[in-house]
Amino acid sequence: MSNPNITLYHANWSFCSQMVRVALLEKGFPFDKHHIKLCDQYPEGENIDKDYLAINPLGTVPAIKIDGNIICGSEEIIYQLDKIDSNNNCSLYPDNVNETEIRKWASNTTITDGVKFASTLGTIMPVFSSPLLQYMIKQLPFSSIMKILLRHPRRDRKMIFIAMYLGNPSKKIPFMGINNYVDEIIKLEKLFADGRNFFYNTFSHIDVNLMCVFNRLVDLGLEETVSYKTPFIYKYWEKLKSRNSYKNGILNYYTDKEKKLLSEFYKNNDSSVLKAILEQIDKKI
Ligand SMILES: N[C@@H](CCC(=O)N[C@@H](CS)C(=O)NCC(=O)O)C(=O)O
């Protein structure tokens, strides 16, 4: 069986890019990659350059080219990749589960366009990440902010990035996600209480997404929220961390830039969101 010809457009620290890299590794597909310097992290802002907008007019990563066809958005990319047979016979859509159900969970665990922020586990992650995002945006030169203002095709992103550059909206934003986050975590803890290994009986698209969700919690100093208070999730997360795709698709992409950023950010990181989440878990569990 010959492998498809794949080029991935991604960013090292992008949550949705991590998902696609993990899925590609699990499927065993070799791929070429093109790193895009995102406008919220790098002065170059390559995702809003003409060349990249010709690939994804929304200006977001990931996008992928499979045998000449471009697909954008993590959920659709992984869904389409899974339709291609792989030499290792890995299927991220288990046969015994209804496809619509898997797609619903996949959509709820990534950043789905058009879904209200903080309403699903996937859209809660950017809300929790907003202090870090704001920290990065404040370091951009004024010329990069002007480029975002003039060229970003998504009005919602443009407005929030500019608000972050000028003010401090991220002081309150993470608190908007706490209620729904705790409900989602408790839902997962109940599900995993039956001792299952993965979300379904075999490793699937949902496990790919949850691996990235939990990894983001680590970056944000929130890993304690999936630890001793939720022992079934804790065990599941340990299992996800032991996969090669976690190391090769996520951890290996942390460059000095990301490491420096995270360590600097932590020096001033206040833990009030963590405290509020842990208190809510105690109340609701
Ligand atoms: N629905 C898309 C969301 C993609 C997305 O929001 N990507 C972020 C990185 S995780 C991005 O490109 N941000 C840069 C920007 O909005 O300017 C997906 O699932 O891939």
Side-chain angles (χ1 to χ4, degrees):
M1 201 182 303
S2 69
N3 282 314
N5 198 335
I6 297 178
T7 305
L8 175 69
Y9 299 86
H10 71 131
N12 289 333
W13 191 65
S14 133
F15 175 55
C16 302
S17 301
Q18 290 171 335
M19 291 173 186
V20 175
R21 292 196 302 257
V22 169
L24 284 163
L25 290 163
E26 290 285 346
K27 295 284 291 180
F29 291 144
F31 56 100
D32 291 329
K33 43 189 191 286
H34 198 108
H35 186 257
I36 303 293
K37 293 182 172 173
L38 296 180
C39 65
D40 50 15
Q41 249 184 88
Y42 293 84
E44 292 89 335
E46 292 173 347
N47 60 315
I48 51 176
D49 277 342
K50 218 167 89 226
D51 287 355
Y52 187 68
L53 292 175
I55 294 165
N56 183 359
L58 287 177
T60 52
V61 291
I64 204 165
K65 207 186 266 177
I66 308 176
D67 291 332
N69 296 319
I70 291 172
I71 307 168
C72 302
S74 58
E75 190 206 329
E76 187 62 20
I77 294 173
I78 297 175
Y79 176 69
Q80 295 297 342
L81 277 174
D82 199 58
K83 289 187 175 303
I84 308 170
D85 289 336
S86 61
N87 290 324
N88 67 6
N89 286 326
C90 159
S91 167
L92 297 171
Y93 278 70
D95 286 342
N96 60 335
V97 190
N98 179 293
E99 190 179 281
T100 318
E101 174 184 324
I102 309 182
R103 290 208 76 167
K104 192 186 101 222
W105 275 101
S107 155
N108 282 345
T109 48
T110 188
I111 308 175
T112 306
D113 297 319
V115 169
K116 209 169 137 238
F117 271 97
S119 65
T120 60
L121 203 48
T123 57
I124 288 166
M125 291 305 115
V127 165
F128 283 170
S129 307
S130 64
L132 185 56
L133 195 69
Q134 179 172 298
Y135 180 75
M136 297 189 298
I137 287 181
K138 284 206 183 292
Q139 294 178 29
L140 292 172
F142 183 67
S143 56
S144 302
I145 296 300
M146 285 311 289
K147 180 172 173 181
I148 291 176
L149 180 65
L150 297 173
R151 292 219 213 141
H152 206 300
R154 294 193 53 162
R155 200 181 129 80
D156 54 343
R157 302 268 168 118
K158 186 192 322 234
M159 298 322 280
I160 189 71
F161 292 165
I162 288 168
M164 283 176 169
Y165 184 72
L166 297 173
N168 186 13
S170 82
K171 195 168 160 47
K172 290 201 181 127
I173 295 175
F175 291 91
M176 289 163 41
I178 294 178
N179 246 317
N180 286 347
Y181 174 72
V182 172
D183 289 347
E184 292 299 311
I185 286 298
I186 290 176
K187 209 194 288 175
L188 286 180
E189 178 68 1
K190 289 192 175 139
L191 211 85
F192 281 96
D194 64 10
R196 62 182 73 194
N197 274 330
F198 297 111
F199 194 88
Y200 298 119
N201 58 334
T202 54
F203 188 86
S204 72
H205 189 163
I206 316 307
D207 302 303
V208 171
N209 287 8
L210 289 175
M211 185 193 281
C212 301
V213 166
F214 297 152
N215 178 69
R216 186 49 51 109
L217 295 174
V218 176
D219 287 341
L220 300 172
L222 298 175
E223 193 182 15
E224 209 180 321
T225 67
V226 286
S227 174
Y228 55 92
K229 288 184 193 291
T230 53
F232 294 106
I233 299 184
Y234 175 78
K235 223 169 117 200
Y236 167 59
W237 173 216
E238 289 297 305
K239 221 171 281 166
L240 294 179
K241 276 195 270 190
S242 70
R243 293 184 84 81
N244 286 337
S245 60
Y246 178 58
K247 180 171 172 281
N248 296 331
I250 299 181
L251 297 182
N252 285 356
Y253 285 81
Y254 283 72
T255 65
D256 287 347
K257 180 173 170 74
E258 283 82 28
K259 287 180 196 156
K260 182 166 169 268
L261 175 88
L262 288 169
S263 79
E264 279 173 9
F265 177 74
Y266 272 121
K267 283 186 209 143
N268 310 309
N269 192 11
D270 90 78
S271 55
S272 52
V273 178
L274 173 65
K275 257 195 242 141
I277 297 175
L278 293 175
E279 275 170 23
Q280 279 257 14
I281 294 180
D282 281 340
K283 257 192 232 152
K284 288 187 174 180
I285 209 156

